[in-house]
């Protein structure tokens, strides 16, 4: 077996009420001037104030930046960087979904090391100075709370840049199901399929290893039993808790095994058409799995068995193709739209396909796929999923 380097957050608190551990986490890290990086929804819901109060009670002097945007851009980082500088921050606390946490990661590196995010894009990785990052997810999907990646869109080119490296890995993560109980059905579906994509791609990745495999299998099994439940009933606390843990497991898995073709193709959709990352993954997952399945029948079959789609006695081909069918059904059940039904203009879609394929390949993620595509095959997949 090729040696694998495993990197995980130093501290992880998981479970209902885990947010109350924030003060002890901050004390352990020796932080005095944290900046909470979040969005207006977290402020309006009162969650940001609760976090600020916990930080004050821990003896720190916190500052708040609530100007993060969905799918953060290089331009959107400017005001946040000003806030971190004004506070003379010694840590950042990312509070929210993947976008606020990714923003916090970017600010931690830009504040400590300078430059622009284009300096940190893949292939990387960046392992230099960065402020400590504490991540508090409020959605169950992105896994950013446990990964050594951030994704920032270049405001000039619309390229969604993958920025990798240990410096982007949170030192502490607080995963509290209570923070997800008000997620709407659409967000629950998109982030849930996102987490499932992380787990499947980590497992079939050419960089998979025994540790990432274990995390990915556990996440797949849990998501298969919980995702439809949270979509149908957002008050299902047990299913919410299960999804929260699984999303973090899936994040740990892909952080240590890398993602593959779905993510490589997903980022350009988000960059050019401002589709949320989880949703663009969901649009692609069934078709990309169908494209890839024959190149790794045994690994995709393992996914089907982990998700209990087939029995352990099913042969690999039967199991792998059952996975393709189940992913198609799952995305239909949680009403994942196509790019067309989502409102993306057909001519605009067609015009962007060559550059989107080029950007997908440049990210490096497709090279981890069991079947490595060329640009023409990626264009064909984009055309296939449009309607």
């Amino acid at each position: 077996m090729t040696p694998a380097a495993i990197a995980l957050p130093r501290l992880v608190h998981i479970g209902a009420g885990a947010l109350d551990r924030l003060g002890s986490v901050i004390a352990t890290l020796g932080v005095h001037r944290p900046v909470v990086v979040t969005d207006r929804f977290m402020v309006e819901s009162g969650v940001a104030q609760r976090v600020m109060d916990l930080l004050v009670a821990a003896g720190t002097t916190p500052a708040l930046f609530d100007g993060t945007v969905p799918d953060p851009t290089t331009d959107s980082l400017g005001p946040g960087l000003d806030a971190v500088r004004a506070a003379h921050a010694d840590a950042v606390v990312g509070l929210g979904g993947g976008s606020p946490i990714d923003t916090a990661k970017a600010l931690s590196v830009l504040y400590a090391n300078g430059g622009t995010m284009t300096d940190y894009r893949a292939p990387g990785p960046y392992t230099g100075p960065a402020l400590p990052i504490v991540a508090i997810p409020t959605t169950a999907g992105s896994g950013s709370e446990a990964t050594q990646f951030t994704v920032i869109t270049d405001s000039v080119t619309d390229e969604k840049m993958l920025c990798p490296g240990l410096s982007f890995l949170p030192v502490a993560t607080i995963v509290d199901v209570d923070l997800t109980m008000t997620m709407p059905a659409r967000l629950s579906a998109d982030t849930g399929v996102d987490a499932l994509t992380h787990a499947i791609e980590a497992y079939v990745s050419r960089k998979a290893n025994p540790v990432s495999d274990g995390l990915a299998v556990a996440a797949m099994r849990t998501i298969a039993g919980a995702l439809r439940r949270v979509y149908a009933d957002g008050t299902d606390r047990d299913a919410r808790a299960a999804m929260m843990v699984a999303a973090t497991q899936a994040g740990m898995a892909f952080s240590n095994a890398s993602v593959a073709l779905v993510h490589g193709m997903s980022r350009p959709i988000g960059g050019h058409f401002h589709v949320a990352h989880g949703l663009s993954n969901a649009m692609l997952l069934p078709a990309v799995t169908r494209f890839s399945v024959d190149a790794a029948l045994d690994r995709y079959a393992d996914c089907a068995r982990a998700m209990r789609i087939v029995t352990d006695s099913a042969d690999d081909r039967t199991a792998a193709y059952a996975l393709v069918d189940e992913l198609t059904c799952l995305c239909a059940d949680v009403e994942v739209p196509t790019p067309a039904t989502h409102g993306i203009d057909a001519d605009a879609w067609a015009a962007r396909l060559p550059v989107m394929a080029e950007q997908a390949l440049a990210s490096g993620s497709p090279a981890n796929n069991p079947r490595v595509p060329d640009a023409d095959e990626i264009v064909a997949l984009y055309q296939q999923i449009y309607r």
Side-chain angles (χ1 to χ4, degrees), residues 38-377:
T38 190
D39 56 29
R40 288 301 306 170
F41 178 77
M42 287 293 107
V43 172
E44 292 164 1
S45 68
V47 175
Q49 188 58 54
R50 184 179 168 201
V51 168
M52 294 291 283
D53 291 344
L54 288 167
L55 291 170
V56 170
T60 73
T61 305
L64 178 71
F65 173 69
D66 63 1
T68 68
V69 300
D71 296 312
T73 65
T74 49
D75 283 352
S76 76
L77 297 177
L81 189 56
D82 290 341
V84 175
R85 287 172 174 155
H88 302 288
D90 58 359
V92 290
V93 178
L95 171 67
S99 293
I101 295 175
D102 277 2
T103 298
K105 291 179 174 186
L107 296 178
S108 79
V109 167
L110 292 175
Y111 176 78
N113 201 60
T116 67
M117 289 310 294
T118 55
D119 301 324
Y120 303 101
R121 59 184 292 199
Y126 175 69
T127 58
L131 291 177
I133 303 159
V134 178
I136 307 173
T138 61
T139 62
S142 80
S144 187
E145 70 273 6
T147 74
Q148 49 189 314
F149 306 107
T150 189
V151 178
I152 305 295
T153 299
D154 187 320
S155 298
V156 175
T157 66
D158 283 336
E159 178 186 358
K160 214 167 187 181
M161 300 180 293
L162 175 68
C163 303
L166 282 174
S167 299
F168 295 108
L169 179 67
V171 296
T173 293
I174 295 174
V175 181
D176 188 337
V177 63
D178 291 340
L179 300 179
T180 70
M181 294 304 296
T182 58
M183 287 174 62
R186 180 75 264 143
L187 183 60
S188 298
D190 296 344
T191 56
V193 178
D194 190 20
L196 181 60
T197 305
H198 293 153
I200 292 173
E201 290 213 298
Y203 193 80
V204 303
S205 168
R206 292 169 180 260
K207 296 181 179 179
N209 59 73
V211 173
S212 64
D213 282 354
L215 290 162
V217 165
M220 281 185 267
R221 176 154 293 177
T222 299
I223 294 166
L227 178 51
R228 286 182 175 91
R229 287 169 58 190
V230 297
Y231 183 69
D233 178 8
T235 67
D236 186 332
R237 188 179 184 80
D238 290 341
R240 287 281 191 206
M243 286 300 300
M244 201 68 171
V245 173
T248 299
Q249 289 174 321
M252 291 175 172
F254 89 80
S255 181
N256 290 285
S258 295
V259 286
L261 180 55
V262 173
H263 277 73
M265 292 180 63
S266 173
R267 295 186 204 101
I269 295 175
H272 290 279
F273 297 103
H274 309 292
V275 177
H277 172 70
L279 177 54
S280 57
N281 275 346
M283 290 173 172
L284 286 158
L285 180 60
V288 170
T289 304
R290 186 178 299 109
F291 170 84
S292 308
V293 68
D294 285 329
L297 281 172
D298 58 337
R299 300 296 278 184
Y300 285 110
D302 286 345
C303 296
R305 297 182 188 107
M307 295 171 65
R308 297 189 174 96
I309 300 166
V310 297
T311 65
D312 289 345
S313 62
D315 67 88
D316 284 354
R317 174 169 287 276
T318 299
Y321 276 87
L323 174 68
V324 176
D325 291 341
E326 165 59 12
L327 295 179
T328 303
C329 290
L330 174 63
C331 288
D333 288 347
V334 298
E335 300 179 277
V336 174
T338 65
T341 58
H342 189 62
I344 297 175
D345 177 75
D347 291 338
W349 179 262
R352 298 288 181 94
L353 296 189
V355 71
M356 286 166 61
E358 179 184 328
Q359 290 174 345
L361 287 170
S363 74
S365 297
N368 302 322
N369 207 57
R371 178 181 174 185
V372 179
D374 59 26
D376 289 342
E377 289 171 318

Side-chain angles (χ1 to χ4, degrees), residues 7-42:
L8 302 170
R10 191 185 313 164
L11 298 169
V12 180
H13 292 281
I14 298 180
L19 183 58
D20 291 334
R21 304 282 185 89
L22 177 58
S24 65
V25 168
I26 290 296
T28 298
L29 298 176
V31 169
H32 302 286
R33 298 178 306 280
V35 173
V36 177
V37 178
T38 190
D39 56 29
R40 288 301 306 170
F41 178 77
M42 287 293 107

